Amino acid sequence: MAVLCRPAVAVPPHVITMEETLDLARSTHAGHDQLGLVLRLIRNTGVATRHLVQPIGETLAHPGFEARNKVYEREAKARVPQVVHQALAEAELTAQDIDLIVYVSCTGFMMPSMTAWMINSLGFRSDTRQLPVAQLGCAAGGAAVNRAHDFTRAYPGSNVLIVACEFCSLLYQPTDLGVGSLLSNGLFGDAVAAAVVRGEGGTGLSLERNGSHLVPDTEEWISYAVRETGFHFQLDKRVPGTMSMLAPALTALSAQHSWNVGELDFYIIHAGGPRILDDLCTHLELPPEMFAQSRATLTERGNIASCVVLDALDRYFASGKATEGARGMLAGFGPGITAEISLGTWATGRNRPTALTGAEAHRRA
């Protein structure tokens, strides 16, 4: 059974608080006819702090799409190795044991992908498979876990490295003055994260079932407009209410696994905003504390896109609440509107077989 091991998460050093965000909104958009609404919405996010790859002065400047993408590439290459090395150590593996790298990011673009750079620079085998994912947004963290799970089922004993890299601050567009855009400016943060899915052995979430669900005719609710100035994030006002459409998908997948979605032991859920979590509590009939890790991620780091589920999972590891056999769910939500869902039980690694080395698993496959 494949096990999602403890993630490694890192955030850049530049911090902006909610009060600083509100002050910036007041000074930058003093004449905005809906400023009061924007300030109220930002405050309601509950995001106390966010981390940025650049100082706020540089973040608010727009040197052009090319210059920003160069910042993305530079910062990714500087920050990804740290989380990769730590994630491998958490899984008790080396780069040579990895058979597939899944790299997810929606805030910059590189071709060849960062997967090629990692293989060349971080000691991975030259036959390591590559799966870069660029267009699933916040749902990509959950999708990466699911594709890793699928791969380990197709190639028993194989090991997969997941890397999520999101520098949301590089998407700031000073000319986007809609309420949704201004709210986003106070919600999203920057982070990098990595985790290993071991085909055998390991401590963490033993993956048993995964599934996807797309809500029909909601493609325009979360989207990018790609223009000369780069990616322009577009957020529809209907997005906060999507849990009424996605909660049934969580319920259905659990039922397929003969589980009651409201009776699991832990939930690692994408924290797009506080209403997402509040509505899930209502629809799944759960107390708010069941989403404690997701809420902590949102409060301390903001919405860090595809990194959220890995950050929340790391917090669950740190909580010390995980016990052998505990049943849980991991779910990421994003554009489409799409949900990527995993179900599994907690494995402590006791009495479990040792993972094959990547090379040995590759030969058996």
Side-chain angles (χ1 to χ4, degrees):
M1 196 76 71
V3 171
L4 175 58
C5 300
R6 184 168 186 169
V9 185
V11 290
H14 307 289
V15 179
I16 183 169
T17 66
M18 175 183 284
E19 288 307 317
E20 290 169 334
T21 299
L22 293 170
D23 288 343
L24 279 171
R26 293 186 189 100
S27 60
T28 305
H29 306 292
H32 198 288
D33 59 1
Q34 292 184 290
L35 179 60
L37 172 61
V38 170
L39 296 177
R40 185 165 68 253
L41 291 174
I42 291 175
R43 191 174 292 280
N44 288 344
T45 64
V47 177
T49 54
R50 293 175 294 147
H51 294 254
L52 312 175
V53 293
Q54 300 179 108
I56 188 61
E58 295 176 32
T59 299
L60 297 178
H62 197 324
F65 188 26
E66 179 180 358
R68 277 194 169 172
N69 205 61
K70 287 181 178 178
V71 173
Y72 172 88
E73 181 173 349
R74 180 192 73 217
E75 295 294 332
K77 289 179 177 179
R79 300 180 187 282
V80 162
Q82 172 190 345
V83 294
V84 167
H85 294 317
Q86 185 180 340
L88 290 170
E90 295 286 357
E92 299 183 316
L93 296 175
T94 71
Q96 288 288 301
D97 298 321
I98 298 299
D99 302 286
L100 167 70
I101 300 173
V102 183
Y103 179 83
V104 296
S105 180
C106 64
T107 52
F109 184 81
M110 292 170 59
M111 193 171 73
S113 166
M114 272 289 291
T115 52
W117 181 85
M118 284 188 279
I119 290 170
N120 284 324
S121 304
L122 302 181
F124 296 96
R125 305 192 319 266
S126 61
D127 65 347
T128 306
R129 292 170 171 90
Q130 306 173 61
L131 181 58
V133 179
Q135 294 162 305
L136 279 176
C138 297
V145 172
N146 290 350
R147 300 297 75 78
H149 183 201
D150 293 343
F151 187 86
T152 59
R153 289 193 297 181
Y155 300 96
S158 59
N159 302 305
V160 181
L161 173 69
I162 296 167
V163 179
C165 178
E166 301 291 11
F167 303 139
C168 301
S169 63
L170 297 180
L171 270 58
Y172 173 71
Q173 298 289 350
T175 60
D176 290 354
L177 302 178
V179 171
S181 294
L182 297 182
L183 168 61
S184 299
N185 295 340
L187 176 63
F188 286 90
D190 299 346
V192 292
V196 171
V197 174
R198 282 182 59 145
E200 295 180 359
T203 294
L205 178 58
S206 181
L207 301 168
E208 298 177 12
R209 181 183 292 267
N210 72 63
S212 302
H213 181 77
L214 184 140
V215 180
D217 303 318
T218 56
E219 292 175 59
E220 298 179 356
W221 290 21
I222 303 174
S223 63
Y224 277 175
V226 184
R227 302 173 183 155
E228 290 182 359
T229 48
F231 302 133
H232 291 248
F233 183 66
Q234 300 175 136
L235 185 68
D236 190 279
K237 63 182 179 182
R238 292 170 288 184
V239 168
T242 52
M243 286 307 102
S244 63
M245 307 172 191
L246 290 179
L250 307 186
T251 301
L253 188 71
S254 299
Q256 291 172 23
H257 205 52
S258 300
W259 289 359
N260 183 325
V261 71
E263 297 178 353
L264 305 184
D265 300 301
F266 61 93
Y267 301 81
I268 307 300
I269 304 294
H270 175 70
R275 183 174 168 185
I276 298 294
L277 300 175
D278 292 343
D279 283 0
L280 267 186
C281 286
T282 299
H283 292 299
L284 303 183
E285 299 181 349
L286 293 169
E289 58 266 23
M290 294 306 295
F291 299 141
Q293 288 76 38
S294 298
R295 292 182 189 278
T297 295
L298 183 65
T299 299
E300 297 175 18
R301 292 175 175 174
N303 183 339
I304 48 177
S306 64
C307 297
V308 167
V309 291
L310 297 180
D311 187 87
L313 179 61
D314 178 54
R315 292 171 188 271
Y316 187 64
F317 268 92
S319 73
K321 296 180 179 179
T323 57
E324 179 78 23
R327 300 180 303 167
M329 167 182 287
L330 182 149
F333 311 128
I337 299 288
T338 301
E340 291 282 345
I341 315 157
S342 300
L343 298 175
T345 54
W346 201 262
T348 60
R350 292 194 298 267
N351 302 318
R352 293 175 59 84
T354 302
L356 303 173
T357 66
E360 184 177 353
H362 183 67
R363 286 195 298 273
R364 291 193 184 184

